[in-house]
């Protein structure tokens, strides 16, 4: 495979139809300031019987990915699918190289940045995405700065520093951190490795579903539960299920179950109200153990709400006590998962009679046990 961008790929704004070449460093739509989608044009199907013997990473699904070939990899992907109950299985994405599912998207951003050759890479994160971007930029020999909010787990900031990235701690919450990073991203020669605004990240996270499909012999469960803050895993899952259905590789799309912490659940509230967008005032943001999904105003809110409805899915919320109990329960089953990563098990648990896959998407070492 050639070391180039897919020739037909262009950035496309889902709101106003604006387009830009995928080689641009312009990280958002110049018309509305919103995040890009990626128009790849027709892409071939992934043949199940062609996967045997391929590389044991997410790059095995090369037909479905918008980059031809890869030099950047840490062997990410191919995480185990483990039964928890007769109906619920867990995908152990905390076994990724940086101990979270964010590696799926970060490897795509680092590979894209490597080809574009920026002077610097900038990212913002509540911890896991920043760690993943820092690691893959180190692998690609790219200078990287990661912005995190004050109060980010010290174990996550230690990981970021360990990979050689410059760490910028921003006073305030997640929105203040994003604003600081976006200001820095405006400097010439800067690649904004945003897991929210750059759609290449979503094409990395969609491999989560391709792996489930492969492991289940070319089928998918009745439902896929996903923790949702900025919605990057959810939107990747929606991309994958749409592609698999369009290619005739599945005969139905599973319902997508989006899980939010009750303390910060603007999307769940909008879904219950039948809204297509978030209201101007999303209500009070309270502290939550699920720091990774504590996002009061996700830029892709409209797309997230649409994806849930199109799949026939729903939103569920979990309390802080449910998060604590779920973390303890999983640990008793041999799985030590961070507090954000247990949200879907807290929501779905054993009380279901349909087949569901839940992600355990961050290692417990990231945050420790819930107090």
């Amino acid at each position: 495979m050639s070391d180039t961008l897919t020739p037909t790929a262009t950035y496309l704004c889902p709101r106003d139809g604006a387009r830009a070449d995928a080689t641009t460093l312009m990280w958002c739509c110049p018309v509305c300031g919103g995040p890009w989608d990626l128009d790849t044009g027709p892409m071939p199907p992934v043949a199940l019987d062609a996967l045997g013997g391929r590389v044991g990473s997410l790059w095995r699904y090369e037909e479905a990915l918008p980059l031809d070939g890869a030099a950047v990899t840490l062997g990410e992907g191919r995480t185990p699918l483990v039964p928890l109950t007769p109906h619920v299985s867990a995908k152990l994405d905390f076994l990724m190289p940086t101990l979270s599912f964010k590696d799926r998207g970060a490897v795509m951003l680092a590979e894209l940045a490597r080809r574009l050759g920026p002077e610097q890479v900038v990212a913002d994160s509540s911890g896991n995405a920043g760690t993943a971007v820092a690691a893959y930029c180190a692998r690609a020999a790219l200078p990287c700065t990661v912005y995190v909010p004050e109060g980010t787990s010290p174990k996550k900031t230690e990981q970021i520093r360990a990979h050689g990235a410059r760490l910028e701690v921003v006073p305030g919450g997640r929105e203040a951190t994003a604003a600081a990073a976006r200001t820095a991203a405006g400097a010439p020669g800067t690649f904004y490795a945003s897991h929210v605004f750059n759609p290449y990240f979503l094409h990395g996270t969609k491999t989560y579903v391709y792996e489930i499909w492969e492991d289940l012999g070319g089928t998918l469960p009745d439902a896929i539960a996903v923790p949702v803050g900025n919605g990057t895993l959810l939107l990747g899952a929606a991309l994958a299920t749409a592609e698999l259905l369009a290619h005739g590789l599945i005969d139905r799309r599973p319902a997508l179950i989006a899980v939010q912490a009750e303390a910060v659940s603007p999307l769940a509230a909008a879904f219950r109200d039948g809204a297509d967008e978030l209201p101007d005032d999303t209500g009070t943001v309270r502290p939550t153990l699920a720091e990774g999904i504590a996002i009061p105003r996700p830029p892709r809110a409209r797309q997230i709400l649409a994806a849930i409805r199109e799949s026939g899915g729903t939103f569920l919320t979990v309390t802080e006590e449910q998060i604590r109990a779920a973390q303890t329960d999983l640990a008793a089953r041999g799985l030590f998962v961070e507090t954000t990563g247990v949200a879907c098990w807290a929501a779905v648990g054993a009380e279901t009679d349909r087949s569901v896959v839940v992600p355990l998407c961050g290692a417990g070492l990231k945050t420790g046990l819930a107090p």
Side-chain angles (χ1 to χ4, degrees), residues 84-174:
L84 295 179
T85 75
H87 299 291
V88 181
S89 294
K91 188 155 174 60
L92 310 190
D93 260 27
F94 68 85
L95 297 180
M96 288 285 203
T98 76
L99 310 182
S100 92
F101 87 92
K102 295 289 176 62
D103 289 8
R104 294 184 183 277
V107 68
M108 299 293 290
L109 295 186
E111 178 63 24
L112 176 62
R114 185 188 69 81
R115 299 178 191 203
L116 298 180
E119 295 174 18
Q120 64 171 336
V121 175
V122 167
D124 61 279
S125 167
S126 60
N128 284 343
T131 296
V133 170
Y136 283 92
C137 281
R139 187 69 167 175
L142 293 166
C144 177
T145 300
V146 179
Y147 290 75
V148 300
E150 60 182 356
T152 298
S153 164
K155 297 178 182 181
K156 294 180 180 180
T157 57
E158 183 179 6
Q159 272 190 291
I160 292 169
R161 286 194 179 101
H163 292 305
R166 197 176 108 220
L167 186 70
E168 292 284 350
V169 179
V170 179
R174 189 65 184 83

Side-chain angles (χ1 to χ4, degrees), residues 172-188:
R174 189 65 184 83
E175 290 189 309
T177 303
R182 290 166 195 167
T183 298

Side-chain angles (χ1 to χ4, degrees), residues 12-65:
L12 170 67
C13 178
R15 282 187 172 273
D16 52 47
R19 287 183 178 269
D21 191 278
T23 61
T24 183
L25 293 178
M26 183 175 13
W27 55 266
C28 67
C29 172
V31 179
C32 70
W36 293 116
D37 280 351
L38 193 66
D39 182 0
T40 62
M43 298 181 76
V46 175
L48 189 64
D49 59 6
L51 294 174
R54 285 194 181 181
V55 62
S57 75
L58 62 78
W59 294 104
R60 68 196 281 108
Y61 309 111
E62 56 187 8
E63 297 91 341
L65 296 175

Side-chain angles (χ1 to χ4, degrees), residues 224-251:
I224 296 173
V226 185
V228 174
N230 276 310
T232 56
L233 186 54
L234 180 282
L235 293 172
L239 272 174
T241 56
E243 291 170 1
L244 289 166
L245 185 66
H247 287 306
L249 297 173
I250 54 174
D251 57 11

Side-chain angles (χ1 to χ4, degrees), residues 5 23 44 80 88 124 141 164 188-189 194 207 214 226 231 272 282 317 321-322:
L5 301 179
T23 61
V88 181
D124 61 279
S194 171
T207 60
E214 181 183 356
V226 185
R272 287 194 299 268
T282 54
T317 59
E321 187 50 45
Q322 286 176 306

Side-chain angles (χ1 to χ4, degrees), residues 73-370:
T73 184
L74 290 168
E76 57 290 324
R78 303 298 295 135
T79 55
L81 190 63
V82 176
L84 295 179
T85 75
H87 299 291
V88 181
S89 294
K91 188 155 174 60
L92 310 190
D93 260 27
F94 68 85
L95 297 180
M96 288 285 203
T98 76
L99 310 182
S100 92
F101 87 92
K102 295 289 176 62
D103 289 8
R104 294 184 183 277
V107 68
M108 299 293 290
L109 295 186
E111 178 63 24
L112 176 62
R114 185 188 69 81
R115 299 178 191 203
L116 298 180
E119 295 174 18
Q120 64 171 336
V121 175
V122 167
D124 61 279
S125 167
S126 60
N128 284 343
T131 296
V133 170
Y136 283 92
C137 281
R139 187 69 167 175
L142 293 166
C144 177
T145 300
V146 179
Y147 290 75
V148 300
E150 60 182 356
T152 298
S153 164
K155 297 178 182 181
K156 294 180 180 180
T157 57
E158 183 179 6
Q159 272 190 291
I160 292 169
R161 286 194 179 101
H163 292 305
R166 197 176 108 220
L167 186 70
E168 292 284 350
V169 179
V170 179
R174 189 65 184 83
E175 290 189 309
T177 303
R182 290 166 195 167
T183 298
T190 301
F191 178 85
Y192 184 26
S194 171
H195 60 293
V196 181
F197 277 77
N198 194 303
Y200 279 88
F201 194 96
L202 306 181
H203 283 266
T205 62
K206 76 182 180 184
T207 60
Y208 174 86
V209 169
Y210 274 92
E211 289 178 16
I212 296 171
W213 169 77
E214 181 183 356
D215 287 344
L216 295 181
T219 64
L220 288 174
D222 297 327
I224 296 173
V226 185
V228 174
N230 276 310
T232 56
L233 186 54
L234 180 282
L235 293 172
L239 272 174
T241 56
E243 291 170 1
L244 289 166
L245 185 66
H247 287 306
L249 297 173
I250 54 174
D251 57 11
R252 54 162 183 80
R253 293 181 71 173
L256 297 176
I257 301 172
V259 179
Q260 294 204 290
E262 189 178 273
V264 187
S265 53
L267 291 163
F271 182 84
R272 287 194 299 268
D273 292 342
D276 294 329
E277 302 262 14
L278 291 182
D280 292 337
D281 181 6
T282 54
T284 303
V285 175
R286 291 171 285 152
T288 176
L289 294 166
E291 63 179 14
I293 53 173
I295 309 297
R297 297 202 63 83
R300 293 187 184 269
R302 185 181 184 89
Q303 291 175 279
I304 294 166
L305 291 165
I308 294 296
R309 292 189 173 110
E310 287 168 8
S311 77
T314 191
F315 272 85
L316 300 175
T317 59
V318 291
T319 65
E320 300 305 291
E321 187 50 45
Q322 286 176 306
I323 292 170
R324 289 187 185 93
Q327 188 186 41
T328 301
D329 178 69
L330 285 170
R333 296 168 185 262
L335 300 166
F336 186 31
V337 183
E338 73 167 321
T339 45
T340 298
V342 305
C344 290
W345 177 242
V348 175
E351 304 300 320
T352 182
D353 58 1
R354 59 177 173 171
S355 59
V356 183
V357 171
V358 300
L360 304 184
C361 47
L365 296 175
K366 296 269 194 176
T367 56
L369 282 171

